[in-house]
Amino acid sequence: MVFPGEQTVMREIAGNCPFCSLACPIILRGGERSPLFGDEGLLQLEWDTRADSKYCGSLCARGNAMVEFVSHPERINYPFVLGERATLEAAVEETAKNLNAIKNESGSGSIGVLIGDNLTNEEASLALKFATDILGTDNIALFAPDDIPVFRAHLGCDLSGLKATAVKPPGDKEVVLIIGDSLAEHPCTAKEMLVSKHASRGSEVIVVSPEANHSAWFAEKHLWCKPGGEAAVAAGLLKAMVGAGTTLTPELEKLVGGLGWNEIERLGGVTQDDLDVAAGSLLGAVKVTTFVSNIFGRFGAPGLTALFAEAVTRCCPGETRFTPQFIGQNTWGIYSVLAGANNNAVLAKLAGEELKAIVLLGLDLFSAYPAGPVEKALRDKKFTVTTQFFWNQTSTRANVVIPAASLVEKKGTVSPEFGEDLVRETILPPPGCTVTDGDFIIALAKAMGGDLSAAATVQRSTARGAGCTALEQDW
């Protein structure tokens, strides 16, 4: 309790929102979450409105609700074994006993590890070493069905050799290209979009979508495509730029060079004339900002769409910025860490009889993939251990539940965008007996007779390949 005249020391944490790949800046004050309703006890969230703040320091509804999320009274604060509250030591011991027994009886290949986006790069590296060195299995995979095709396209086709052939145009026209509905799903991009939209006379917003969405309401050009036709429209923009003098790399030429305009119009639903006009606007802008937003997996070919959108952006002679907006904040970081693993179809094995145990880290699998085979697998005689924030269908079906720390309660590195790494050094103290996934993995490895406390430096696979042959089948 604070008495009159007593000095109150406020703890201030500058960080980033953990809920999506925008990683908008935030400022937390207080943070001790004490039961005393004084200034030093209440956790307060404020926008980071400094001049250089990303996306002008704004937050969406999810970001503004972060305090309620991390401080929610129904958050899991203690481990549970078979539905009964337990100590962390007991939960780890129960998990180690079952995993060792299953490994001895059915072999290492009978255990799988599935990872969600709530891990840091360092924790993903620990999970990989736990799977390969402790469990002895290559059944480890990231569950991010909407993001993984984009990562495969990014790594499978190097666009660094693609350069704009025209000189930077005169004037001050800016163009924002949105594929999907960025303003609805990542509303903090609205300020940046509006600044460009009103930068000068002639500046405009171009939206590619199959419906009249929030982004399209602000657009000067709405390229109204067929459902799932975003990739064809992006390919059409690229083809129109070739007609205006742009030269493609040999790899891109293989993907789009054989497509005729009739095929592009049939697949995409947008006419050649409209694509020519839109491409001319992009080539005539001094600044082009591209957002690709694929929440709810709406794109028929998300990898192709992102790749063609990046190529379109690189072909523009003005200042450019390309932002594919991932569903999870650190799905790219985790994917790049796991790229060296044999990324087997763990879900397919889970639905069958091969897996006898499953380790779920940072993933509410049933809510993310509410399919019959998954429910059957979690109900059947499979040992399941999971790290979770709240009681949900996954945690209620698990044998052991470990209370999970959120990304704002973890030190470590996340990679929200290609080429961007954020290091969290100052964090919000986790509540109750909550532990990080990394600490849980280290404790579990020790209980199983291994030692990951001195794990090696994180290794990531981020180099882009020279060919696009892996994407040809996406057509």
Side-chain angles (χ1 to χ4, degrees):
M1 183 175 296
V2 180
F3 294 95
E6 185 176 345
Q7 293 295 319
T8 301
V9 178
M10 294 290 289
R11 182 179 181 189
E12 182 173 293
I13 302 170
N16 298 85
C17 175
F19 291 142
C20 82
S21 64
L22 293 188
C24 296
I26 57 173
I27 295 177
L28 293 167
R29 289 194 171 91
E32 299 305 326
R33 286 182 277 197
S34 76
L36 299 178
F37 288 93
D39 288 340
E40 78 286 359
L42 284 177
L43 179 61
Q44 304 168 21
L45 174 67
E46 294 185 10
W47 295 8
D48 188 345
T49 55
R50 291 173 293 187
D52 58 346
S53 287
K54 190 177 183 181
Y55 298 112
C56 307
S58 56
L59 288 176
C60 69
R62 288 174 295 176
N64 278 309
M66 192 189 69
V67 168
E68 286 76 8
F69 173 81
V70 298
S71 302
H72 200 282
E74 294 185 11
R75 186 171 172 185
I76 299 175
N77 288 326
Y78 300 94
F80 286 81
V81 175
L82 298 178
E84 298 292 332
R85 178 171 161 175
T87 64
L88 179 61
E89 292 76 12
V92 168
E93 203 60 43
E94 176 73 10
T95 304
K97 180 185 71 175
N98 280 275
L99 292 181
N100 275 329
I102 293 169
K103 180 180 176 181
N104 293 334
E105 293 173 7
S106 304
S108 298
S110 64
I111 304 175
V113 181
L114 267 180
I115 299 177
D117 72 293
N118 188 53
L119 270 66
T120 64
N121 295 346
E122 292 82 1
E123 289 177 322
S125 181
L126 279 171
L128 178 59
K129 289 185 69 64
F130 174 75
T132 56
D133 296 359
I134 307 300
L135 296 179
T137 181
D138 58 5
N139 293 325
I140 179 170
L142 166 69
F143 186 85
D146 297 330
D147 287 339
I148 285 178
V150 178
F151 303 154
R152 287 175 176 159
H154 175 79
L155 292 177
C157 194
D158 185 4
L159 298 181
S160 60
L162 185 62
K163 306 293 183 183
T165 56
V167 297
K168 185 175 181 179
D172 49 9
K173 175 183 177 180
E174 298 185 15
V175 173
V176 177
L177 173 63
I178 298 175
I179 302 181
D181 192 6
S182 177
L183 300 193
E185 295 147 1
H186 300 87
C188 293
T189 60
K191 286 187 178 180
E192 185 169 330
M193 182 275 291
L194 290 172
V195 169
S196 291
K197 176 182 171 69
H198 299 294
S200 67
R201 186 180 298 275
S203 294
E204 58 184 336
V205 176
I206 301 173
V207 171
V208 179
S209 73
E211 72 278 320
N213 57 32
H214 292 75
S215 301
W217 292 344
F218 292 90
E220 280 70 30
K221 289 184 178 67
H222 181 190
L223 303 181
W224 200 304
C225 66
K226 292 181 178 180
E230 293 87 356
V233 172
L237 289 173
L238 202 55
K239 189 175 181 67
M241 289 180 167
V242 171
T246 299
T247 303
L248 299 183
T249 61
E251 293 77 21
L252 281 176
E253 184 62 36
K254 291 179 183 178
L255 285 177
V256 302
L259 289 174
W261 279 111
N262 288 338
E263 194 169 10
I264 287 176
E265 290 181 347
R266 178 180 63 83
L267 292 171
V270 179
T271 66
Q272 178 184 353
D273 289 342
D274 287 342
L275 291 169
D276 283 336
V277 172
S281 294
L282 291 163
L283 292 173
V286 298
K287 181 180 179 182
V288 172
T289 304
T290 301
F291 296 110
V292 179
S293 183
N294 186 38
I295 282 187
F296 306 122
R298 67 160 55 82
F299 296 167
L304 280 176
T305 301
L307 181 69
F308 291 151
E310 181 184 2
V312 165
T313 308
R314 285 179 178 264
C315 287
C316 296
E319 176 189 346
T320 61
R321 179 185 169 198
F322 171 68
T323 304
Q325 295 163 303
F326 311 140
I327 311 303
Q329 178 164 121
N330 198 35
T331 48
W332 164 236
I334 295 169
Y335 184 84
S336 64
V337 170
L338 298 185
N342 183 12
N343 212 6
N344 283 328
V346 182
L347 275 177
K349 292 186 176 183
L350 177 66
E353 299 297 326
E354 294 179 63
L355 296 186
K356 306 300 181 183
I358 186 78
V359 180
L360 301 175
L361 301 172
L363 172 64
D364 176 9
L365 176 61
F366 193 86
S367 296
Y369 190 63
V374 171
E375 179 176 12
K376 181 179 183 302
L378 295 180
R379 286 185 183 278
D380 284 351
K381 296 178 180 179
K382 287 185 172 66
F383 176 80
T384 305
V385 57
T386 182
T387 59
Q388 295 290 330
F389 299 121
F390 298 99
W391 286 106
N392 49 47
Q393 296 199 59
T394 298
S395 54
T396 55
R397 287 165 169 78
N399 301 81
V400 177
V401 179
I402 304 296
S406 69
L407 283 176
V408 293
E409 297 162 340
K410 298 181 180 183
K411 292 185 178 181
T413 308
V414 296
S415 305
E417 293 184 26
F418 296 133
E420 178 186 18
D421 291 334
L422 293 175
V423 180
R424 287 190 172 93
E425 296 179 345
T426 56
I427 60 170
L428 188 67
C433 294
T434 300
V435 296
T436 67
D437 291 85
D439 287 342
F440 169 63
I441 293 169
I442 291 173
L444 181 56
K446 184 177 180 180
M448 294 182 68
D451 184 7
L452 296 180
S453 59
T457 304
V458 175
Q459 300 292 323
R460 299 177 62 190
S461 178
T462 59
R464 305 185 70 169
C468 299
T469 54
L471 293 174
E472 292 176 1
Q473 62 184 356
D474 287 6
W475 276 119

